Amino acid sequence: MTTKAETALTRGEQLSHFISHANQLVVPPAVRHEAKRALIDYLGVALGAVNDDAVNAVRQVAKKWNAAGDAQIFLSTTTTPALAALVNATMAHAADYDDTHPAGAGHPGGPCWSTALAMAQAHPVAEEHVLLAFITGFEVMAKLGGGWVPGVGRNLQRRGFHPTSVVGRAGAAAVAAAILQLSEEQVRNALGAAATMMGGLQKSSGTHGKPFHAGKAAMDGILAAELAAENFVGAHHFYEADGWVKIFIQDGSAEIPPLDFGESWELLTNGYKLYASCRGTHASIETARKLYPQLQGRTITRISAKVHPMGMVNAGIMDPRTPLESKFSIPHCITLALSGYALTDTDFTQATVDDPRPRALLPLLEVEAVEGQSASSAFIDVWLDDGSVLHAHTDVYRGHAQNPLSDDELRAKFDALTVPVLGAARSAQLYDAALHFERPGSLARITGLLAGDH
């Protein structure tokens, strides 16, 4: 919990104090459990995308660099922590099926867990230490990018920047610094190095660039911490109110949330996706899926949807031509759901993109972005050729922190993604090791189960 003395510190000093004391962090049981749920989801979505084209490209480059090390690229070789985290975090975000921070920091699981595992494999520490390092990095990333609609992350998106790529570097640097047990001065230098590498353009959505954002955030966070460990000096002022936020959001309109470490826990708000697409599509998908059983083969003549404005900013591709573009298209996701698709990972294929049934519905659809509408909601009306009108709405989509997936649902998602890759027995062992990660030997079990030859 933040003390009175700590509130007198600058924001940069608050961050460096929190990170350098990660091993002393007192974490409520619910937060610890959520950290392990984040690990389970991270491992599942990463392994489900092990053969993704974006992952193949990044993995091949990492192999060509031929850097020796003890950090495990999932189902591949070992290398340096920075390169392993680059590949694994790209893998985790490749299907856009990974966790989401609803207040605006993007996708913390990929950069933070990739960094934690890779650094711990190269710098052996107790599992408890690794878990605390992940929690530390997650909280740093989420608080820096939080604030909801008027906050930092949403303002970054409105200006064309991807929060995962921006604040993910600071989160990953925090994880790596915690595992290296850097001093407060070294942490300040690491955070300064991370800040000067911040970037990532939102319009990369629908290409390999977006998952690469998560990978590069992890890689650069590790680089920043390792530089600081070697006495690299970074700027210490970037995390003040007139620092990196003012550089990215120059009109000063972003409301910068407080660094209330220990008073509130961002992990408790983390969301895990039921649908394998941009979070901005989820309320619309869920609403359209409610309508599909009512269609009963009748012909649709018109569709009207009302969504939150940021939905169309992040997922407004009107005429997607690839599976990746489809994941960032509210219109196509609506018509897919109205055509009977469940919108899980296996539904985003080229055959699905080219399916004439949902394509025929696109010209009939009008999407209205409604100012003031909740980002977790959607409203859809469907007119039919017999004159009837169907209506459905969603207040809070499944997987949101206010409507979370149960542990059993998260296990089902994990199994669906990992069993085809690992087999049932190996998948079950991986799940058990993640669920009980704080137990000694869990990291070695996970590392062994993820060795391979891709």
Side-chain angles (χ1 to χ4, degrees):
M1 181 176 293
T2 306
T3 66
K4 288 184 178 180
E6 289 167 355
T7 58
L9 301 176
T10 67
R11 286 176 63 85
E13 290 168 342
Q14 285 178 266
L15 284 162
S16 60
H17 180 81
F18 177 68
I19 295 165
S20 64
H21 290 78
N23 276 353
Q24 301 170 29
L25 196 59
V26 178
V27 180
V31 177
R32 298 173 69 89
H33 182 64
E34 206 59 47
K36 292 182 285 185
R37 275 168 53 92
L39 175 58
I40 289 165
D41 190 70
Y42 160 73
L43 292 171
V45 297
L47 292 174
V50 68
N51 293 313
D52 184 88
D53 289 343
V55 177
N56 289 335
V58 175
R59 183 168 50 225
Q60 285 305 113
V61 170
K63 282 186 173 183
K64 286 181 180 178
W65 286 2
N66 199 31
D70 296 320
Q72 181 70 54
I73 297 175
F74 293 170
L75 301 183
S76 187
T77 57
T78 58
T79 184
T80 64
L83 285 178
L86 168 67
V87 179
N88 295 340
T90 299
M91 198 183 301
H93 196 36
D96 220 271
Y97 209 6
D98 48 336
D99 66 345
T100 60
H101 177 247
H107 308 271
C112 292
W113 264 123
S114 296
T115 299
L117 294 181
M119 287 296 292
Q121 288 159 346
H123 305 277
V125 292
E127 282 79 2
E128 176 69 13
H129 187 175
V130 182
L131 192 66
L132 292 176
F134 165 78
I135 294 170
T136 298
F138 187 105
E139 294 297 310
V140 166
M141 179 177 174
K143 290 187 185 297
L144 288 176
W148 299 91
V149 174
V152 174
R154 296 289 177 250
N155 267 285
L156 287 171
Q157 287 179 314
R158 286 191 286 271
R159 286 158 177 80
F161 298 105
H162 186 196
T164 303
S165 190
V166 178
V167 293
R169 284 171 165 83
V175 175
I179 288 179
L180 291 175
Q181 300 184 60
L182 299 187
S183 68
E184 287 196 41
E185 179 71 11
Q186 289 173 316
V187 171
R188 283 194 283 272
N189 289 327
L191 290 174
T196 204
M197 294 186 281
M198 287 176 173
L201 302 180
Q202 188 75 34
K203 286 297 184 181
S204 297
S205 296
T207 74
H208 295 169
K210 189 169 186 285
F212 177 68
H213 286 170
K216 197 60 164 57
M219 180 182 189
D220 286 352
I222 291 173
L223 174 61
E226 291 186 337
L227 284 170
E230 299 298 333
N231 300 315
F232 179 94
V233 177
H236 294 183
H237 60 269
F238 280 133
Y239 294 87
E240 308 313 318
D242 60 349
W244 71 265
V245 175
K246 186 64 181 294
I247 294 169
F248 279 93
I249 306 167
Q250 297 188 1
D251 64 3
S253 61
E255 295 180 9
I256 301 176
L259 298 175
D260 55 347
F261 295 119
E263 296 177 17
S264 67
W265 295 92
E266 299 296 325
L267 253 169
L268 296 178
T269 72
N270 204 26
Y272 307 101
K273 290 185 175 182
L274 191 60
Y275 310 110
S277 56
C278 174
R279 176 183 55 192
T281 68
H282 287 204
S284 297
I285 290 170
E286 199 150 302
T287 306
R289 291 190 71 212
K290 293 174 183 176
L291 290 168
Y292 173 69
Q294 302 176 49
L295 295 176
Q296 298 177 338
R298 290 177 289 176
T299 300
I300 295 174
T301 60
R302 180 186 168 200
I303 310 165
S304 173
K306 294 181 179 180
V307 302
H308 183 267
M310 283 305 299
M312 291 302 287
V313 171
N314 297 327
I317 297 175
M318 300 304 295
D319 186 24
R321 293 295 170 181
T322 68
L324 262 180
E325 289 183 348
S326 183
K327 288 172 178 277
F328 294 90
S329 172
I330 286 176
H332 198 223
C333 284
I334 288 174
T335 62
L336 286 169
L338 289 174
S339 300
Y341 286 100
L343 284 297
T344 59
D345 194 41
T346 55
D347 287 320
F348 288 94
T349 65
Q350 195 60 49
T352 304
V353 173
D354 296 335
D355 186 339
R357 296 177 301 143
R359 285 223 159 262
L361 297 178
L362 284 173
L364 308 178
L365 172 62
E366 297 176 0
V367 180
E368 179 185 357
V370 180
E371 288 292 341
Q373 181 173 320
S374 167
S376 61
S377 68
F379 302 81
I380 299 178
D381 293 297
V382 174
W383 286 259
L384 304 174
D385 61 350
D386 62 5
S388 58
V389 181
L390 305 178
H391 172 80
H393 73 276
T394 296
D395 292 324
V396 181
Y397 59 81
R398 295 302 319 287
H400 190 283
Q402 295 174 7
N403 192 7
L405 300 186
S406 68
D407 287 352
D408 287 343
E409 288 174 310
L410 197 62
R411 172 67 186 270
K413 176 184 175 182
F414 176 89
D415 287 348
L417 291 164
T418 60
V419 170
V421 179
L422 300 177
R426 195 170 164 194
S427 170
Q429 292 173 42
L430 184 64
Y431 179 86
D432 183 72
L435 181 63
H436 303 290
F437 184 78
E438 72 281 3
R439 293 177 180 173
S442 295
L443 178 61
R445 287 180 65 199
I446 289 173
T447 303
L449 290 165
L450 295 178
D453 57 4
H454 273 68

